[in-house]
Amino acid sequence: MIAPSPIRPALLFGSDPTPGIVSVLADRSGHARIWRRVDGRVRYEEATYPSWFFLARPELVDGLPVQELDASVLATGGANLQGSVGLVKLAGDNHFGYLVLTDQLDEVERRVIEAARQGHEEGRFTEPLSQLIYVRPALEQYLTISGRTYYQGMSYHDVRRLQFDLETSGLDANAHHIFMVAIRDSDGFATILDTTSMSEAELIGEFVRIVRERDPDIIENHNIFEFDIRFLVRRAHALGVPLPLGRDGSTFTESRDSVKVGAINEGFTRFSLVGREIVDTFHATKRYSAIQRDLRSNGLKEAARYFGVAPPDRVYLEGAEVYPTFLRDPALVRAYCMNDVEEVASLSTILLGPSFALASMVPKSYERIATAGTGQGLIEPLLVRAYLAGGHSLPSGQAVGSFAGGRTGIFATGIVDNVVKADVASLYPSIMLAERIAPASDQAGAFLTLLEELTGRRLHHKAQARNAELSADERRFEEAMQGAMKVLINSFYGMLGASFALFCDKSAAEQVTARGRDILQMVLDGLEARSAILIEADTDGVLFSLPTRADGEPWSYQTEAALIDEVAGLLPAGIHLEHDGRYRSMYSYMEKNYALLDYSSDVEPTLSTRVRLVGSAFRSTKLEPFIDHFLSQALLALLRGDVSSLQQLYRATCADLRAGRVPVADLCVTMPLTKDPEKYASSERKEEPYEVWINAGNPTWKTGTRIRYYQTRSGKRLLSDPPSAYDAAYYVDRLRTASLQRLDKALDREDLEAVLSESPGLFDPLMENVRPLVVKYVEPLETATPASPLAEPAPALAV
DNA sequence: CTCATACGGGG
DNA sequence: GTGTACGTATGAG
């Protein structure tokens, strides 16, 4: 545990530093149940607290036993209500001018809603209910008014995290069964149960016993909500096995919730346990890849490889192969299943660390912070806590509508060398601080105070994270704090433009983006004036290329940094331009779609580690594997300026195809059958995967079945059927079409067609003479993205 | 060509 | 009562 800092601003962490809270359950009658982990042991405590809500019209509590209270009771978080309803007149003239305190929230809220309905009927006021009362979930009420948060003084190593993974005979809990479960936790426990030595019911019972014995604070897996828990609950119910996994012996509860992925809210069914937090690395992965566009799939295996945490001897099995493999080689599937939970443990360390640290600041449960948006999800609860403690009236939210966003544009496509990335550090927060831009409704001045506090503290934590005098655990704690603060700092702007956020302010948001566009333009002008070739700009950063030096020497980091410093000198005070990466070359394909080649590739030109494919155009998971592989190799050759290699590669691939040397599995597409047979039959509309499956003599299927098939001369054929010769001409054509499209911007059209030819043509250019193409747009394709107010600038996750 | 619909993940 | 949103691939017309 980390001792609380002596200067610990309540604005950021809440006023009560009670350490070690790992879970809380609060009800609407003012009872809170608290689990704390102190020195590794879990203890249970209870507390009482007043429920609260903000109110716009005091007459809505007329007829209730109202007791007028002074705002000073709020600072101490207490009020002795004893059945009465506390009413506090708040300072300032924001919309919600009153705070109501009660220990019978159900009854009081019901009465207020009834009074509102009557008021509407009698025409005394017309505001919708949301403009009359502002009420939060009970758990947030407890944390907000008590000033407590989760995980004070804890590092990610101080909580016990348990990962479990089911292996099943299929995806449908009504038709399939569980045959294996792997369980591990962050304190070194690991075990595997399977049906070679017990029944499915015994396996579930044993799983329950182990989880209760290990008593984890956090339970994790990849797609745990949509798959593992749902499947477990269904099978346990069918077999009559109880699942008392909560800390009070209760079982899962279900609720509809949503996870914020980029600008989007995705619905999901949340399963919850009393006293424990449940988080999903699938959600975390999706949230990451919505921002960082070079993760190609959100699947566990792909994500683990991407973050470099896949064990070197990792066992890979196709989903459909898992159960058949278990029947003949259970040991192999045990290894596979244990690899899964190990990867989940590593992924959550990387992706959920910032959410963990945020939970020590924001008055919400960790599991909800892990799915929350940034503006309304993180900043608003901090401001509401500050307003509540300060006894200040609260503004109400409204629809914001669209407004002009960041400056984005593409200035050149093709293959460019000597590429540098520069970006303005924390552009929007810096603008808000430099220009003192805050919501007009922030009468208490909390917005900029918090932002300033966070900016200063983050630098401190960042420095401490590199302080060699601290222990490894302390340094990890410091790193997590600075990462969490970075997320918060980048979230302030998002709240301004978020419709129905209490403190939203369209005009303030517009001021920020307008100033941001001006500043980026200054950067672009400054770079161009110094002979840089602009490639692409997006909100707060720019990719540009430097022309080959007159003396033929390569550019060094130092000269690039000096150039950026020069341009930085043109910018207003408080705005910092930084060198953010350098690349040997780049293939600029479309806006936000490009490939980058590291300088280290000169030494070691290997594929996967040296070429970074960014953007959805390169992401398509539906390509046949051999095309996907070819394109990566082709891009590597192009980025190295080696057109002959590209041609050789193309010809070799075509020759392999024609000679029947390409394994059929590399030619297959993989498609899911997501509709059940009845639904497909009634949809009237023919879809290839279903037709292939039916034509192969399969009248029915289970939903979720994934099939793989390839093209033969006589039609599509399933990989699982007896093998047949594939249609080489078809695949040569597929290769050519896909390559012509993806490499279109890299070479002149005629050159590209000559390079991608199977045999030499009469008028073909010599490969030595084919030069990669660069097209500069005279009129830069400039845009001020019609702002989706929710598309916040990437709150880059600290990884 | 344009328009409409389904998909992302888990065994 | 507001956020069923994003970008892409496929099939139908």
Side-chain angles (χ1 to χ4, degrees):
Chain A
M1 299 273 278
I2 315 291
S5 156
I7 339 149
R8 186 184 159 287
L11 206 51
L12 189 49
F13 295 97
S15 57
D16 181 340
T18 301
I21 295 177
V22 291
S23 198
V24 177
L25 179 66
D27 67 24
R28 289 162 63 94
S29 329
H31 301 290
R33 305 157 74 182
I34 301 134
W35 288 265
R36 292 174 57 209
R37 190 176 279 278
V38 179
D39 301 327
R41 300 257 281 279
V42 179
R43 43 163 106 151
Y44 170 70
E45 296 165 7
E46 295 184 353
T48 58
Y49 74 103
S51 297
W52 54 266
F53 56 85
F54 283 84
L55 196 63
R57 294 176 172 275
E59 63 265 35
L60 292 172
V61 291
D62 281 355
L64 290 164
V66 172
Q67 178 192 354
E68 291 197 11
L69 298 173
D70 189 81
S72 60
V73 302
L74 298 171
T76 54
N80 198 357
L81 295 167
Q82 295 186 324
S84 69
V85 175
L87 183 66
V88 182
K89 169 93 177 76
L90 301 166
D93 60 0
N94 275 324
H95 182 84
F96 292 106
Y98 296 85
L99 189 84
V100 177
L101 298 168
T102 171
D103 50 19
Q104 296 164 49
L105 183 58
D106 281 332
E107 170 67 8
V108 172
E109 194 186 10
R110 199 183 57 72
R111 295 280 291 271
V112 166
I113 291 169
E114 175 57 23
R117 197 190 57 76
Q118 268 192 16
H120 283 153
E121 251 171 37
E122 292 161 12
R124 279 183 279 117
F125 44 79
T126 56
E127 304 100 299
L129 200 54
S130 63
Q131 297 285 311
L132 293 169
I133 173 171
Y134 177 77
V135 55
R136 302 295 309 165
L139 171 52
E140 287 179 35
Q141 292 195 31
Y142 170 68
L143 293 174
T144 301
I145 199 158
S146 67
R148 293 182 162 188
T149 63
Y150 276 46
Y151 308 141
Q152 291 281 347
M154 297 181 92
S155 81
Y156 209 26
H157 284 61
D158 295 324
V159 279
R160 178 167 290 177
R161 302 185 288 126
L162 179 141
Q163 299 81 29
F164 81 90
D165 185 50
L166 301 183
E167 299 302 329
T168 66
S169 58
L171 293 166
D172 181 354
N174 293 317
H176 301 118
H177 67 279
I178 302 167
F179 65 83
M180 183 178 286
V181 58
I183 311 163
R184 75 177 291 289
D185 73 25
S186 51
D187 289 317
F189 177 86
T191 193
I192 282 212
L193 310 172
D194 65 57
T195 53
T196 56
S197 57
M198 62 186 90
S199 69
E200 185 187 8
E202 287 164 341
L203 180 148
I204 296 172
E206 184 63 3
F207 168 74
V208 170
R209 189 192 64 75
I210 291 171
V211 172
R212 289 172 57 107
E213 185 177 291
R214 297 303 300 167
D215 196 20
D217 307 314
I218 300 168
I219 297 179
E220 314 174 327
N221 195 20
H222 208 73
N223 209 11
I224 191 170
F225 291 118
E226 296 297 325
F227 184 72
D228 295 83
I229 297 178
R230 185 180 293 283
F231 206 112
L232 179 69
V233 166
R234 192 70 58 82
R235 291 306 297 159
H237 180 75
L239 296 164
V241 182
L243 290 174
L245 292 167
R247 274 193 159 131
D248 62 351
S250 60
T251 190
F252 292 104
T253 52
E254 283 182 47
S255 56
R256 286 303 293 174
D257 204 338
S258 62
V259 52
K260 192 79 175 251
V261 177
I264 298 163
N265 256 332
E266 264 181 31
F268 76 103
T269 301
R270 181 188 291 283
F271 286 85
S272 311
L273 286 174
V274 168
R276 310 189 202 281
E277 305 291 308
I278 304 176
V279 291
D280 195 330
T281 52
F282 176 46
H283 288 165
T285 305
K286 283 205 278 196
R287 283 156 67 90
Y288 175 86
S289 62
I291 293 161
Q292 194 69 37
R293 294 181 297 259
D294 61 341
L295 176 56
R296 309 193 71 189
S297 135
N298 298 318
L300 173 63
K301 280 78 177 170
E302 180 69 26
R305 282 191 294 259
Y306 173 92
F307 287 109
V309 297
D313 53 352
R314 212 264 191 244
V315 176
Y316 291 101
L317 291 173
E318 288 287 328
E321 289 305 305
V322 173
Y323 187 54
T325 306
F326 171 71
L327 294 177
R328 56 169 199 278
D329 186 358
L332 187 65
V333 180
R334 284 183 203 120
Y336 167 82
C337 190
M338 190 49 79
N339 283 158
D340 275 4
V341 287
E342 285 161 2
E343 288 186 347
V344 166
S346 306
L347 269 190
S348 68
T349 308
I350 295 166
L351 291 175
L352 286 157
S355 290
F356 176 86
L358 281 167
S360 69
M361 305 172 204
V362 179
K364 280 190 179 195
S365 64
Y366 167 55
E367 62 184 16
R368 291 188 65 94
I369 286 173
T371 58
T374 49
Q376 251 179 317
L378 300 176
I379 305 300
E380 181 172 303
L382 292 179
L383 294 177
V384 169
R385 181 176 62 196
Y387 272 59
L388 178 80
H392 212 289
S393 57
L394 203 62
S396 72
Q398 59 221 290
V400 168
S402 70
F403 56 94
R407 167 89 153 93
T408 67
I410 184 161
F411 305 92
T413 60
I415 305 279
V416 279
D417 296 332
N418 308 321
V419 173
V420 184
K421 186 166 188 297
D423 68 9
V424 180
S426 303
L427 175 64
Y428 286 176
S430 306
I431 291 172
M432 292 186 287
L433 285 176
E435 316 252 321
R436 310 306 291 172
I437 300 171
S441 54
D442 179 28
Q443 298 175 353
F447 186 91
L448 287 174
T449 311
L450 246 179
L451 182 54
E452 208 147 39
E453 181 78 46
L454 277 162
T455 306
R457 287 190 161 254
R458 176 173 174 234
L459 291 178
H460 169 75
H461 287 294
K462 211 172 164 180
Q464 287 295 85
R466 283 157 188 68
N467 181 349
E469 285 171 21
L470 297 183
S471 71
D473 197 37
E474 286 168 324
R475 283 205 303 272
R476 274 193 293 267
F477 174 79
E478 297 291 344
E479 181 56 37
M481 292 304 272
Q482 83 83 16
M485 289 179 178
K486 181 174 176 178
V487 172
L488 282 181
I489 289 167
N490 286 325
S491 303
F492 280 73
Y493 158 74
M495 198 199 57
L496 294 179
S499 282
F500 302 100
L502 293 180
F503 291 88
C504 67
D505 184 335
K506 182 175 176 176
S507 129
E510 277 174 329
Q511 280 181 60
V512 175
T513 56
R515 188 70 177 141
R517 291 193 298 275
D518 291 348
I519 289 171
L520 195 64
Q521 191 58 50
M522 292 179 212
V523 173
L524 299 179
D525 293 345
L527 287 169
E528 263 194 320
R530 286 158 185 79
S531 316
I533 300 152
L534 302 179
I535 304 167
E536 184 173 323
D538 185 0
T539 309
D540 60 353
V542 53
L543 279 154
F544 61 92
S545 162
L546 291 169
T548 309
R549 287 163 47 139
D551 57 11
E553 286 296 301
W555 289 91
S556 69
Y557 173 81
Q558 284 74 15
T559 45
E560 293 164 5
L563 173 77
I564 288 170
D565 277 350
E566 251 183 65
V567 176
L570 308 170
L571 302 178
I575 304 293
H576 304 287
L577 186 70
E578 294 178 342
H579 189 293
D580 188 43
R582 58 195 306 266
Y583 304 92
R584 184 192 191 276
S585 49
M586 168 173 175
Y587 172 43
S588 169
Y589 176 52
M590 299 187 307
E591 191 169 315
K592 294 176 190 177
N593 282 276
Y594 50 86
L596 295 167
L597 183 69
D598 280 1
Y599 276 100
S600 50
S601 66
D602 290 344
V603 190
E604 192 197 350
T606 58
L607 198 69
S608 53
T609 53
R610 303 301 171 212
V611 180
R612 246 174 34 101
L613 297 179
V614 178
S616 45
F618 297 113
R619 240 189 206 191
S620 95
T621 49
K622 286 184 175 142
L623 278 182
E624 295 88 337
F626 88 99
I627 296 182
D628 193 56
H629 186 242
F630 171 83
L631 284 172
S632 312
Q633 302 245 20
L635 282 168
L636 177 62
L638 274 170
L639 287 167
R640 307 186 80 225
D642 189 351
V643 180
S644 314
S645 282
L646 172 58
Q647 187 177 59
Q648 281 168 28
L649 178 69
Y650 182 77
R651 288 183 176 169
T653 309
C654 290
D656 285 344
L657 281 169
R658 295 212 187 269
R661 285 191 296 260
V662 179
V664 173
D666 287 346
L667 303 173
C668 285
V669 288
T670 306
M671 294 290 184
L673 303 180
T674 51
K675 296 189 178 95
D676 62 42
E678 295 79 52
K679 196 174 172 207
Y680 179 65
S682 66
S683 81
E684 301 269 320
R685 164 192 158 98
K686 297 199 165 184
E687 294 176 54
E688 188 179 80
Y690 298 89
E691 293 304 306
V692 172
W693 180 250
I694 293 165
N695 289 339
N698 305 295
T700 186
W701 60 89
K702 299 209 171 88
T703 44
T705 307
R706 267 172 222 271
I707 61 168
R708 300 170 75 189
Y709 56 87
Y710 59 101
Q711 181 75 41
T712 69
R713 294 269 179 75
S714 54
K716 307 277 181 190
R717 190 176 179 88
L718 291 174
L719 179 63
S720 51
D721 282 348
S724 172
Y726 63 80
D727 184 348
Y730 170 86
Y731 285 107
V732 169
D733 190 58
R734 284 280 303 143
L735 179 69
R736 190 175 156 78
T737 312
S739 307
L740 282 175
Q741 186 194 9
R742 303 287 203 299
L743 307 180
D744 179 53
K745 299 280 173 29
L747 297 178
D748 188 74
R749 188 72 193 187
E750 274 176 28
D751 286 345
L752 186 59
E753 293 197 355
V755 171
L756 300 181
S757 68
E758 283 190 78
S759 51
L762 206 51
F763 304 106
D764 283 350
L766 288 169
M767 284 305 111
E768 306 86 87
N769 296 338
V770 173
R771 288 278 160 260
L773 185 69
V774 183
V775 176
K776 285 184 233 171
Y777 296 109
V778 185
E779 289 284 309
L781 305 178
E782 82 180 61
T783 45
T785 349
S788 142
L790 295 162
E792 293 142 27
L797 285 152
V799 177

